[in-house]
Amino acid sequence: LERETAVREVAENIRKAFEAPIEIDEGAILMTPSIGVALGSRLNPSGPDELVAHADQAMYRAKRLKTGIQVFDERERREHLDRREVEQALVPALADGQFQVFYQPIVSEQGDRTVALESLIRWKHPVHGTLGPDRFLSVAEEAGLLARLGEVVMREAVAQTSVWTHLYGTEHHADVSVNLAERQLVDPSFPDRVAEILDWAGVEPRQLGLEVGEELLLRRVDDSNRVLQRLSALGCRLIVDDFGIAHGAFSRIRDIDLVDVVKIDRTIVAALSTDNVARAVVEATVSMANALGLDVVAEGVEREEQRSLVLELGIETGADPVEHG
């Protein structure tokens, strides 16, 4: 227990070292580290590779739970075995077409129309049934398979868009968006694959929205710029997801001048009625969006009170929590 306490203190000191913004040429960014800790002992000896793997596992748990620090323990050990099972099943599942795409509507807050659809992946597991992304996305990221999953979603979403376009025309159905993985955002060949997929399906680039998490956009400044510029030049809509939870996002969006839509994080929307800071973030976001000609979407609007608040603050579209296959 004393050893764990001492190690946690070291990890906490490392975490605190990142609290101050880091100055870069474009301004300042705020880094939020996720730290995993693994302890060896004489009673439970582990080799260096195993300790590193355990620390890595704890780090990903800290990242998922947004706790900053996690120590590998027995629960982590059990989860590590489960995750290993998931990892071993991922590649066969990709080959067997077990992943399916569902669509979350983005609706006008007046409730009169669907303006876009966000593509969400689900795993139709032959034994465990339908699995949500929380069960496999972080494992896929560790295994280097997240970009492959992303391409599965993109191909399916673009193919479905082609069907809707054929049935209803481009003016009478909602456009779709997909989430980008970090490896896609820094892969110089990724824009070429997007162009190939769009050409394969006969879909206009403007019908495809590409979503980048705010934290990822801030963290991969230099690498992402070149890819984002080419995707924007291709004609795709660029969307910043989970907006408002990190410092520096306002200046980043102003600097890259490529973004079309910002989606305010659901935790901020949930706090609007009780938290003045959340309200100030939304007001600043709407003001920035109006000045830059961007659209704003409120995520997680589930109650009439929230709908009234976001309308009052000038947001006319929100993410409907209902998913459609």
Side-chain angles (χ1 to χ4, degrees):
L1 183 59
E2 290 180 1
R3 291 171 65 243
E4 180 176 330
T5 300
V7 172
R8 279 187 177 274
E9 288 180 358
V10 172
E12 180 63 23
N13 289 335
I14 295 172
R15 188 193 65 78
K16 286 181 178 178
F18 285 87
E19 288 182 348
I22 298 173
E23 299 294 331
I24 59 175
D25 291 340
E26 292 84 358
I29 60 174
L30 188 67
M31 305 293 286
T32 305
S34 297
I35 302 172
V37 177
L39 300 172
S41 70
R42 293 177 181 176
L43 295 177
N44 185 25
S46 300
D49 291 342
E50 186 177 5
L51 279 174
V52 170
H54 289 172
D56 198 44
Q57 177 69 20
M59 181 272 292
Y60 275 102
R61 183 174 180 83
K63 186 175 181 178
R64 291 198 310 277
L65 299 179
K66 298 182 179 180
T67 56
I69 301 169
Q70 283 287 319
V71 176
F72 189 91
D73 56 17
E74 281 306 311
R75 183 172 72 172
E76 289 283 341
R77 191 178 302 277
R78 291 192 298 271
E79 184 176 316
H80 182 66
L81 294 175
D82 292 340
R83 290 167 73 83
R84 184 173 300 172
E85 178 186 351
V86 170
E87 181 177 345
Q88 291 171 346
L90 276 172
V91 173
L94 279 164
D96 293 342
Q98 293 176 14
F99 292 96
Q100 297 186 356
V101 177
F102 289 73
Y103 299 94
Q104 181 180 38
I106 307 298
V107 301
S108 67
E109 289 304 343
Q110 287 83 0
D112 57 352
R113 62 193 178 96
T114 297
V115 298
L117 296 165
E118 180 182 355
S119 305
L120 306 172
I121 192 170
R122 298 293 181 266
W123 185 354
K124 293 289 188 178
H125 197 285
V127 176
H128 302 299
T130 302
L131 302 180
D134 59 310
R135 293 289 303 278
F136 60 87
L137 281 190
S138 60
V139 183
E141 182 178 14
E142 293 177 47
L145 295 172
L146 202 54
R148 285 185 60 185
L149 284 175
E151 191 158 322
V152 167
V153 174
M154 184 178 296
R155 285 190 177 274
E156 173 60 30
V158 170
Q160 183 62 67
T161 299
S162 179
V163 172
W164 287 328
T165 300
H166 178 74
L167 292 176
Y168 308 115
T170 58
E171 303 302 322
H172 299 287
H173 74 82
D175 299 331
V176 298
S177 65
V178 299
N179 290 283
L180 297 190
E182 181 170 355
R183 292 195 180 192
Q184 292 171 312
L185 192 61
V186 299
D187 179 359
S189 67
F190 177 63
D192 293 328
R193 289 203 297 279
V194 173
E196 182 270 324
I197 291 172
L198 291 167
D199 184 65
W200 163 74
V203 170
E204 294 294 326
R206 66 178 179 80
Q207 296 177 261
L208 177 64
L210 302 173
E211 300 199 13
V212 182
E214 177 188 65
E215 186 270 338
L216 176 56
L217 188 71
L218 291 172
R219 181 156 47 88
R220 301 306 297 259
V221 173
D222 295 330
D223 295 330
S224 66
N225 262 3
R226 292 182 289 273
V227 173
L228 289 174
Q229 286 168 356
R230 291 182 59 198
L231 292 170
S232 179
L234 186 63
C236 297
R237 292 175 295 114
L238 300 182
I239 302 166
V240 179
D241 198 13
D242 303 327
F243 189 82
I245 57 176
H247 294 84
F250 287 96
S251 61
R252 175 78 172 109
I253 287 177
R254 181 198 62 205
D255 291 341
I256 62 175
D257 193 29
L258 300 172
V259 174
D260 300 287
V261 183
V262 292
K263 295 174 69 175
I264 298 177
D265 188 75
R266 64 182 59 248
T267 60
I268 294 175
V269 174
L272 274 178
S273 61
T274 58
D275 188 340
N276 289 333
V277 173
R279 186 181 181 97
V281 168
V282 173
E283 289 174 340
T285 301
V286 172
S287 177
M288 175 202 69
N290 289 339
L292 298 178
L294 311 180
D295 293 327
V296 181
V297 175
E299 294 189 285
V301 178
E302 300 177 357
R303 303 191 308 272
E304 187 58 40
E305 177 190 19
Q306 291 174 324
R307 180 169 285 107
S308 298
L309 280 171
V310 297
L311 280 171
E312 176 188 330
L313 293 170
I315 302 174
E316 297 182 356
T317 53
D320 187 332
V322 178
E323 296 176 13
H324 303 273

